[in-house]
Amino acid sequence: IFGSLEDYREDFQAALDDDFNTPQALTILEDFVNEVNRHLEGTTQYAGGTLAAMERIARDLAGNVLGIVSENFKAQENEHRIEGLVNLLLKLRQEYREAHEWGKAEAIQQCLKELGILIEDGPDDTTWRLA
């Protein structure tokens, strides 16, 4: 696949150079994604450089050229993970509170506070926000 990555870029660019043939460019992008998926499914180990090259081309073509991939995609992905982790810790903290294990509940709150995450206990639920 590595040798053909640049072929996708060239074909994509040629489609756009042909009176901005977006449907053809999207078809090439779809073919690229399908080939990457086939490559990843059929390989248990792959070189980091190959993955980086695939990602660069996808971000360049779909993101920089067409604007359909957000620049901060990874940031959004990380925000989602952080939210999930904080909610998991809050659930665990609530379980400790219900079991009257106040020290453990307080330890979770303190650790989150040290990370800049403030917990606010309300009458019906617990919320959090970044400090």
Side-chain angles (χ1 to χ4, degrees), residues 12 24-34 58 61-62 66 68:
F12 182 88
Q24 181 62 30
L26 289 172
T27 298
I28 293 165
L29 188 59
E30 180 181 19
D31 291 346
F32 170 75
V33 169
N34 289 335
L61 302 183
L66 296 178
I68 58 176

Side-chain angles (χ1 to χ4, degrees), residues 14-130:
L16 293 180
D17 287 345
D18 180 22
D19 199 25
F20 205 70
N21 190 345
T22 307
Q24 181 62 30
L26 289 172
T27 298
I28 293 165
L29 188 59
E30 180 181 19
D31 291 346
F32 170 75
V33 169
N34 289 335
E35 183 163 337
V36 167
N37 286 335
R38 278 192 303 275
H39 175 73
L40 294 176
E41 288 171 0
T43 306
T44 57
Q45 293 183 346
Y46 34 85
T50 302
L51 286 177
M54 288 186 259
E55 182 181 8
R56 257 192 323 276
I57 288 177
R59 284 192 181 281
D60 185 38
L61 302 183
N64 296 337
V65 176
L66 296 178
I68 58 176
V69 174
S70 173
E71 286 284 329
N72 60 356
F73 179 74
K74 283 189 176 182
Q76 291 171 349
E77 197 173 86
N78 287 337
E79 286 175 17
H80 178 71
R81 289 179 183 158
I82 290 169
E83 182 177 338
L85 287 171
V86 171
N87 288 335
L88 176 65
L89 287 169
L90 290 180
K91 182 179 177 191
L92 182 60
R93 178 178 172 261
Q94 183 60 34
E95 289 174 8
Y96 285 141
R97 291 176 77 193
E98 290 171 0
H100 302 285
E101 295 185 44
W102 310 114
K104 291 178 181 179
E106 179 62 28
I108 290 173
Q109 184 170 353
Q110 187 60 36
C111 287
L112 289 172
K113 184 178 180 181
E114 290 172 9
L115 294 170
I117 300 169
L118 301 179
I119 296 175
E120 298 171 356
D121 292 313
D124 298 322
D125 63 353
T126 300
T127 59
W128 63 274
R129 63 181 171 85
L130 297 175

